[in-house]
Every structure is written in structure tokens, then in C-alpha cells.
Amino acid sequence: MANPSLLILAGDGIGPEVMVEVRKIIDWLGARRGLVFDVSEDLVGGCAYDAHGTPLADATMARAQEVDAVLLGAVGGPKYDALDFSVKPERGLLRLRKEMDLYANLRPAQCFAALADFSSLKREIVEGLDIMIVRELTSGVYFGEPRGIFTEGNERVGINTQRYTESEIARVARSAFELARRRSNRVCSMEKANVMESGILWREVVQKVHDEEYPEVELSHMYADAGAMQLTRRPKQFDVIVTDNLFGDLLSDLAAMLTGSLGMLPSASLGAPMANGRPKAMYEPVHGSAPDIAGQGKANPIACILSFAMALRYSFDQGAEADRLERAIETVLADGLRTADLMGPEGGSPISTGAMGDAILGALDASL
Ligand code: IPM
Ligand code: MG
């Protein structure tokens, strides 16, 4: 059988430097675990615009459709702020999500014991936190038509459309219920059914999928604003949260901060199964390109490495290797090693991006 294939799109800002550390892990798996990947690399975002005048070349898009999984770093930077909207770095990312039809975005928010004091909330509120936000990723207000800036009378009007079909809601609801079955068996669905028709439909469809296909999973519904409040008040009440594209964008940043650092959070974006049975998939850290610290060796590579752990688990059926990698990260954190983003108010001496990657490799070696 051919080796599984990976396309690395490191992107802009800190993307390339955190991806170097992921490459170390990939090489380690090949050398020490006999798990060899065929890795190719290409451009996305601002660097792709610089090279090709577009944030995602058609050839790159085609390659992304062929491989078993895409690993993405981050896109964007101040250099590209003035670009026309249609060629902004983010458009490259959104094109990948849309054309690969990656409708289920899994964003786990887990609080590592060693980092519980980094949260802006009290230790007892976040310690042991383990929630999974399932964000719908290919529809809603991010893609709905009509959209644009139009002229109406003597002024301009900006329009975006929140639009969800029943099938779009049902398929992401199924992803959430399937995940819940393998976790604590609870799903909370969030929308704004009190003000939005799309929210009313969302609630109805999620309830119907539940009643017909997953009656044994505990389902609750919450308005997304109340959900934001509950996430900060008592986050451990949640197991799986399923929500739309825009609310999911907001709530996942909020959940990220509960865990202490955006530099720690991975994500998986999954679509329908391909011919080989693997889901269409892209893995990326939740953090952005952080242009303010790019190129200085300050970035935390853990979110990107944990995203690769999710690839091992969800694309390559290598749950044991994913566990090993996650445990290696826990060990390194428990040993007190910290990148600059993980320095508390009391300070300390941070290690570099590369040193963090090497420490994780050391913990992997020690695990054998
Ligand atoms: C995210 C990001 C993206 C989004 C941006 C970069 C387009 O914030 O993945 O959460 O809004 O989806
Ligand atoms: Mg976001």
C-alpha cells in the first residue's frame, strides 16, 4: 500500500516556523515508528499571493483534493491588509474549506493541568476542562448570498446573508452526535432561535436528527449569547457544543482563552469520506499568523503539533501514536518548559520554538 500523503501549506507569519517543528515529528514517526508519510509542500495565503497573484493557486487546490490530509499553518499579515478583498490571504483558507467541503470543524478546548494557572479564569473552573466545539465551516454567513457592498439611494449598504439548508445542519449535527458517543455523550446546540429564522431551523433539525438517529445522546439547546456566558461561568458543564460558522468562530476563541493560550489549540476540519474511506481533511492550529512575533523563534509550536496529532487520530487511524504525542507534550509542560506565550505574570525564561519541538522529540524518544 502507498504511504499516506500529506500536503503542508505553512502559509504566513509564524506558520512556517511552527510547521518546521511538525516536520520533526513527521520525520521521527518515519524513523522510529515505521510510519512514513509522502509529504509535499506548497503555498497558501500572502506568500501564495506574492508568488502567483492569488492566495491559493488552482494547482495547489487540485493537490489538496488529492492528498489524504492537508496541514495548514496560518495565513495573513499587515503586508496584505490593503489588498482587494477577493485576493486577501484569508480567501485562500476559505476556498480550501469550501471546495474540499470541510463542513465539520472540530475545535477541542482542553486545559493541560500544568497550565491551569494561565487561564484568565480561576483554576478550579478550568482544571480538567475537556470540551469539543463542532463548528459548521462551509456555510452560514461566511458564504451566504447575496453578499457585498451596494449603493442604496445616497449611501452604501454592506450585506451578508445567514443561510442554512436542512441537510447542511443535519450533517454537522451527525458529526457532533458521533463525537459525543465516543466522549461523555452530551451535545449542546447553540444558535439564536429567538431572533433568527436560520436559528429556528437549526434547532428543529438538530432535534430531529437526535430523535431519529441518536436518542441515547443527551441533547440540550442554548442561545449562543447565553452559551458564551455559560462557557465563562461554568465551562465544565459542556461536552460537545455544535454551532454555526460565525458563532463557532467566536465561541471557539472564547473557549481557547479558557485553556490559557491560543498557542495550544489544534483543530480538524473534516468532510465526507473519500474513496479510500478517509474523510476529506485539513488540520490547522486555531491561532493566526501572529506577524508581531514572526521570525523570532518565539512562537509556540504546540497547537500545530496537536493538530498533527488530530490528523493521526482522525485521518490515519493512529490513535495510539496520537496519544503518545499528546502525552509527550504533557510531559514537556509538566517539566516546566514554556514558550513565550506561556509566561505567567511572574515571568521566567521562555524557550524557543525550536527548543520546544526538540523537547517534545526528547519526550517521544523517552516513551519508547
Ligand atoms: C478561524 C479564523 C478564520 C475564520 C479567518 C482567518 C478567516 O478566525 O479559523 O477561526 O474566521 O474562520
Ligand atoms: Mg477565528
Side-chain angles (χ1 to χ4, degrees), residues 70-225:
V70 176
L71 303 181
L72 188 130
V75 297
K79 184 178 162 196
Y80 309 103
D81 282 352
L83 284 185
D84 185 71
F85 186 72
S86 63
V87 289
K88 275 200 186 301
E90 291 77 8
R91 305 309 302 170
L93 176 58
L94 294 171
R95 181 178 178 198
L96 282 162
R97 291 174 178 174
K98 186 70 179 173
E99 292 192 19
M100 292 172 74
D101 202 19
L102 304 172
Y103 60 85
N105 181 215
L106 279 45
R107 298 192 162 187
Q110 264 172 308
C111 186
F112 286 81
L115 297 181
D117 290 324
F118 288 87
S119 173
S120 45
L121 300 189
K122 296 190 199 79
R123 173 179 270 275
E124 60 269 26
I125 294 185
V126 295
E127 196 167 21
L129 180 73
D130 178 9
I131 59 186
M132 177 72 86
I133 296 188
V134 180
R135 168 190 177 191
E136 199 292 324
L137 202 61
T138 52
S139 184
V141 76
Y142 272 59
F143 297 98
E145 299 281 349
R147 66 182 299 161
I149 300 176
F150 306 96
T151 302
E152 236 178 61
N154 58 1
E155 65 171 352
R156 293 182 305 157
V157 50
I159 298 182
N160 290 94
T161 301
Q162 166 83 337
R163 178 180 193 277
Y164 272 106
T165 64
E166 291 180 296
S167 53
E168 285 169 341
I169 301 167
R171 64 182 185 172
V172 73
R174 284 190 192 99
S175 302
F177 289 126
E178 291 290 339
L179 279 164
R181 272 183 174 166
R182 284 181 268 137
R183 297 170 45 98
S184 301
N185 214 36
R186 286 178 293 125
V187 171
C188 180
S189 169
M190 295 188 186
E191 28 54 20
K192 285 280 289 176
N194 49 347
V195 285
M196 298 165 78
E197 285 79 0
S198 60
I200 296 176
L201 187 68
W202 182 281
R203 188 175 284 222
E204 274 179 30
V205 172
V206 172
Q207 188 68 51
K208 183 163 181 272
V209 169
H210 169 269
D211 296 349
E212 291 176 356
E213 302 170 40
Y214 301 91
E216 79 292 354
V217 179
E218 193 185 307
L219 171 65
S220 58
H221 303 274
M222 223 180 249
Y223 297 139
D225 54 344

Side-chain angles (χ1 to χ4, degrees), residues 107 135 142 249-250 252-253 286:
R107 298 192 162 187
R135 168 190 177 191
Y142 272 59
D249 183 42
L250 302 176
S252 61
D253 266 27
V286 171

Side-chain angles (χ1 to χ4, degrees), residues 280-303:
K280 273 257 156 72
M282 178 162 77
Y283 299 88
E284 55 178 308
V286 171
H287 65 66
S289 58
D292 51 318
I293 59 162
Q296 302 168 39
K298 288 185 182 167
N300 184 349
I302 293 181

